[in-house]
Amino acid sequence: SQTIHQWPATLVQPVGSPLSLECTVEGTSNPNLYWYRQAAGRGLQLLFYSVGIGQISSEVPQNLSASRPQDRQFILSSKKLLLSDSGFYLCAWSGGNWATYEQYFGPGTRLTVT
Amino acid sequence: SQELEQSPQSLIVQEGKNLTINCTSSKTLYGLYWYKQKYGEGLIFLMMLQKGGEEKSHEKITAKLDEKKQQSSLHITASQPSHAGIYLCGADMAGTASKLTFGTGTRLQVTL
């Protein structure tokens, strides 16, 4: 079966510090991978998606970046965090060798920037 | 305004009662996905609808996509405390099946 992992689960970082969130998928190959942010009282905002290694599409201009160094690994980074970066970050996958249309989500990382 | 509107924003129902959540799009939907989220957790996939008039059921939850493919409803029959959470609809508006636009969610509470 397919599983998706995110870590850390929670993170408290000061303004101006760097960020690295990791997402890994097991049980499928060549998935589409996504990073979303969910701010309080708002819906899910798509930040980045990737259809393959090294292929990243950015949906919203911001001080965040994403990388996909391996087929089933997706990393969200920032060089300097802003207060507005606080939120709940979700990673998701779809497609892969199961050819699913629906997206499956990880457990999320709650980021608080102080 | 939002491309995808969900209503109501929140709902409190007594256990055993039926309820309906709506998701309305300003554009034709190539696919409509329903998810459930418990606070502080990831989203759990419930159902996907693609064809106009399509209806799917899982246990006591039924989802429908209207003929014009611009509105979907999620109906829960005989609600239980386990149904409590946030329900989100996600829509494929571009026909790519890879990027989804999500509604802001409906928070459901089920009282005893």
Side-chain angles (χ1 to χ4, degrees):
Chain A
S1 63
Q2 302 79 43
T3 54
I4 178 168
H5 304 279
Q6 285 186 246
W7 63 89
T10 60
L11 194 58
V12 180
Q13 292 283 92
V15 168
S17 64
L19 173 73
S20 181
L21 303 182
E22 189 166 343
C23 170
T24 58
V25 180
E26 296 176 357
T28 188
S29 297
N30 196 31
N32 297 327
L33 295 172
Y34 309 83
W35 277 113
Y36 290 89
R37 177 168 58 204
Q38 188 176 34
R42 301 180 64 180
L44 287 172
Q45 181 185 36
L46 179 63
L47 302 175
F48 301 95
Y49 75 97
S50 171
V51 298
I53 295 174
Q55 299 178 65
I56 310 292
S57 294
S58 174
E59 293 297 302
V60 182
Q62 58 215 321
N63 70 321
L64 298 172
S65 62
S67 62
R68 184 170 178 174
Q70 299 180 45
D71 181 44
R72 290 170 291 174
Q73 185 184 30
F74 205 22
I75 296 172
L76 183 69
S77 304
S78 174
K79 292 182 179 178
K80 290 186 178 180
L81 284 169
L82 306 172
L83 284 174
S84 58
D85 291 324
S86 292
F88 192 50
Y89 288 82
L90 289 157
C91 180
W93 73 271
S94 71
N97 53 4
W98 294 97
T100 60
Y101 289 113
E102 63 271 19
Q103 295 180 19
Y104 293 94
F105 286 78
T109 294
R110 183 160 301 283
L111 172 66
T112 303
V113 182
T114 60
Chain B
S1 65
Q2 290 275 357
E3 287 185 302
L4 203 62
E5 297 275 356
Q6 273 189 248
S7 62
Q9 289 185 328
S10 63
L11 197 52
I12 302 174
V13 299
Q14 193 173 25
E15 183 178 6
K17 298 294 185 184
N18 303 337
L19 64 107
T20 300
I21 298 169
N22 294 302
C23 179
T24 303
S25 170
S26 57
K27 302 178 182 179
T28 298
L29 301 172
Y30 292 89
L32 192 287
Y33 304 76
W34 282 101
Y35 289 87
K36 179 185 175 185
Q37 182 182 30
K38 292 193 174 180
Y39 180 75
E41 298 181 11
L43 278 65
I44 299 170
F45 171 69
L46 297 175
M47 280 174 276
M48 174 182 72
L49 304 164
Q50 288 184 301
K51 300 176 184 177
E54 186 175 10
E55 179 175 324
K56 287 187 177 178
S57 294
H58 177 67
E59 297 181 344
K60 294 185 178 180
I61 301 177
T62 300
K64 300 178 185 179
L65 183 61
D66 75 343
E67 291 289 344
K68 293 184 178 179
K69 295 173 64 175
Q70 285 191 276
Q71 186 170 15
S72 178
S73 60
L74 185 83
H75 184 79
I76 298 178
T77 304
S79 58
Q80 301 170 350
S82 60
H83 288 128
I86 301 170
Y87 290 82
L88 295 103
C89 59
D92 173 6
M93 295 181 171
T96 62
S98 60
K99 290 167 54 176
L100 300 183
T101 299
F102 282 87
T104 53
T106 295
R107 184 178 297 271
L108 171 64
Q109 291 178 251
V110 180
T111 61
L112 299 175

